[in-house]
Amino acid sequence: MATFLVLALNIALHAGIFVFLRDSSMNPVLYAILAIAWGVGGVYLIYWSLNWTVERYSDVWRRRIQPYLFVGPAFLLLSWLLLIPTVRTLYMSFMDAGSEKFVGFANYAAIFTNRLLLTALRNNLIWVAFGATACIVLGLLIAVLADRSSFEKLAKAIIFLPMAISFVAAGVIWKFIYYYQPGDEQVGLLNAIVTAFGGEPQAWTSMLQPWNNLFLVAILVWMQTGFAMVIFSAALKGVPEDMLEAARMDGAGEVRIFFKIIVPYISTTILSVTTTIIVFTLKIFDVVMVMTGGQYDTEVVATQFYRQFFMYRNFGYGSTLAIVLLIAVIPVIVFNLRQMRRQGGF
């Protein structure tokens, strides 16, 4: 009885606070303060009250209930925020544009026959093939070189610095770097350098198709290489020094040591970083939207989803694109989880 009473009081209390904040017209600053206080204090109150209730049980029942007590709220929250929207999106992917008529797999068939959508899928493959590969290779190379440099901290700080800004901000910065205008005077950094050496200015993100996608991929490499470098650098410091010294004494060169000892030793880290960056590149949206808005054949699945769902109000197409993106990400995530399980991560 106490368990159900405490649970009911928690639901009633937090539902009341939610209704009060939703219908309130108080000062926005005070509203934000109360919302934060409720978010922090409310979570603590839920766990404390439920744990207090469970402590009243016998040891046997307490051990059975407590794991579900602490995992349960998180599971319910994730279900509300992730599972339910996913199921609803899957349902909408089998409906027409207005989500009124069941059309079966017609939307899925249309995706693989529509030229714009095929272009978006092709561009996503370009982002994964070139962007993820460049981030991994450069991140590992810089990590190895920086660890042997006397300016290790400074070098790593400079490479990691782009991670401190958002992709939207990075898009704005690189938009000025790639900026093109007709005539001799160029304010874009890249075109200014090209014209200074006697070259012709180019509209890097529009006219040079499909190379313009690679110029956008360069922004991803600029930002994510620092992430890969930091993870690889930490893994490299775990390679036993005596193993490296033994290989050198046996006459192995540095290149051979790198490929025969270092890479196999940190292979699980390489796989984890690779899958993380691949998932990120599959979901890329911000850079493309800021730089080109998806024009000039730079559409990716995420921008096409945004355009179909929110601009054209074609809920069937939009939902189908979201599900296709989810299906593309799932194998990478499953592979990553299996690697973590082999390492004893969970």
Side-chain angles (χ1 to χ4, degrees), residues 99-217:
S99 296
E100 298 174 350
K101 182 181 177 182
F102 181 78
V103 295
F105 288 93
N107 290 324
Y108 291 89
I111 284 179
F112 296 101
T113 56
N114 185 293
R115 186 187 66 83
L116 290 175
L117 299 180
L118 287 175
T119 300
L121 292 171
R122 181 207 67 184
N123 290 341
N124 266 105
L125 292 177
I126 291 176
W127 278 85
V128 171
F130 292 97
T133 302
C135 289
I136 300 304
V137 173
L138 290 176
L140 183 56
L141 180 62
I142 294 171
V144 172
L145 296 177
D147 283 347
R148 303 182 181 189
S149 170
S150 56
F151 303 99
E152 177 184 354
K153 293 182 179 179
L154 178 61
K156 288 181 179 179
I158 293 174
I159 300 298
F160 189 76
L161 196 60
M163 284 288 295
I165 62 176
S166 67
F167 267 88
V168 174
V172 173
I173 293 171
W174 281 82
K175 197 167 187 177
F176 283 106
I177 293 176
Y178 289 145
Y179 187 78
Y180 164 79
Q181 63 183 18
D184 297 329
E185 185 178 353
Q186 297 294 326
V187 297
L189 176 62
L190 187 55
N191 275 324
I193 294 173
V194 170
T195 53
F197 284 94
E200 292 293 328
Q202 301 288 338
W204 305 101
T205 59
S206 58
M207 294 176 62
L208 301 175
Q209 300 172 5
W211 296 98
N212 52 354
N213 285 288
L214 297 179
F215 290 115
L216 298 183
V217 170

Side-chain angles (χ1 to χ4, degrees), residues 40-282:
V40 176
V43 171
Y44 175 80
L45 179 61
I46 290 173
Y47 279 108
W48 179 85
S49 61
L50 293 178
N51 188 63
W52 177 86
T53 305
V54 173
E55 290 291 339
R56 311 278 76 82
Y57 285 84
S58 64
D59 291 342
V60 175
W61 281 101
R62 184 165 64 246
R63 285 194 298 269
R64 292 178 179 177
I65 297 174
Q66 272 185 332
Y68 298 101
L69 168 66
F70 288 100
V71 174
F75 176 78
L76 292 175
L77 184 62
L78 287 174
S79 298
W80 182 32
L81 296 177
L82 296 177
L83 183 59
I84 295 176
T86 300
V87 173
R88 185 169 181 269
T89 303
L90 179 63
Y91 167 77
M92 292 174 65
S93 70
F94 295 109
M95 308 297 286
D96 63 355
S99 296
E100 298 174 350
K101 182 181 177 182
F102 181 78
V103 295
F105 288 93
N107 290 324
Y108 291 89
I111 284 179
F112 296 101
T113 56
N114 185 293
R115 186 187 66 83
L116 290 175
L117 299 180
L118 287 175
T119 300
L121 292 171
R122 181 207 67 184
N123 290 341
N124 266 105
L125 292 177
I126 291 176
W127 278 85
V128 171
F130 292 97
T133 302
C135 289
I136 300 304
V137 173
L138 290 176
L140 183 56
L141 180 62
I142 294 171
V144 172
L145 296 177
D147 283 347
R148 303 182 181 189
S149 170
S150 56
F151 303 99
E152 177 184 354
K153 293 182 179 179
L154 178 61
K156 288 181 179 179
I158 293 174
I159 300 298
F160 189 76
L161 196 60
M163 284 288 295
I165 62 176
S166 67
F167 267 88
V168 174
V172 173
I173 293 171
W174 281 82
K175 197 167 187 177
F176 283 106
I177 293 176
Y178 289 145
Y179 187 78
Y180 164 79
Q181 63 183 18
D184 297 329
E185 185 178 353
Q186 297 294 326
V187 297
L189 176 62
L190 187 55
N191 275 324
I193 294 173
V194 170
T195 53
F197 284 94
E200 292 293 328
Q202 301 288 338
W204 305 101
T205 59
S206 58
M207 294 176 62
L208 301 175
Q209 300 172 5
W211 296 98
N212 52 354
N213 285 288
L214 297 179
F215 290 115
L216 298 183
V217 170
I219 305 173
L220 171 76
V221 176
W222 179 67
M223 295 195 68
Q224 291 296 303
T225 297
F227 162 75
M229 175 204 66
V230 169
I231 305 300
F232 289 145
S233 181
L236 287 171
K237 293 186 183 301
V239 179
E241 190 64 30
D242 55 349
M243 184 185 300
L244 301 178
E245 289 298 328
R248 293 188 181 102
M249 292 179 64
D250 289 340
E254 294 300 321
V255 175
R256 189 173 183 182
I257 290 174
F258 176 77
F259 285 105
K260 296 295 185 179
I261 297 177
I262 295 178
V263 171
Y265 196 88
I266 65 171
S267 59
T268 54
T269 303
I270 294 174
L271 288 173
S272 297
V273 174
T274 301
T275 52
T276 301
I277 295 181
I278 287 176
V279 170
F280 187 83
T281 52
L282 285 172

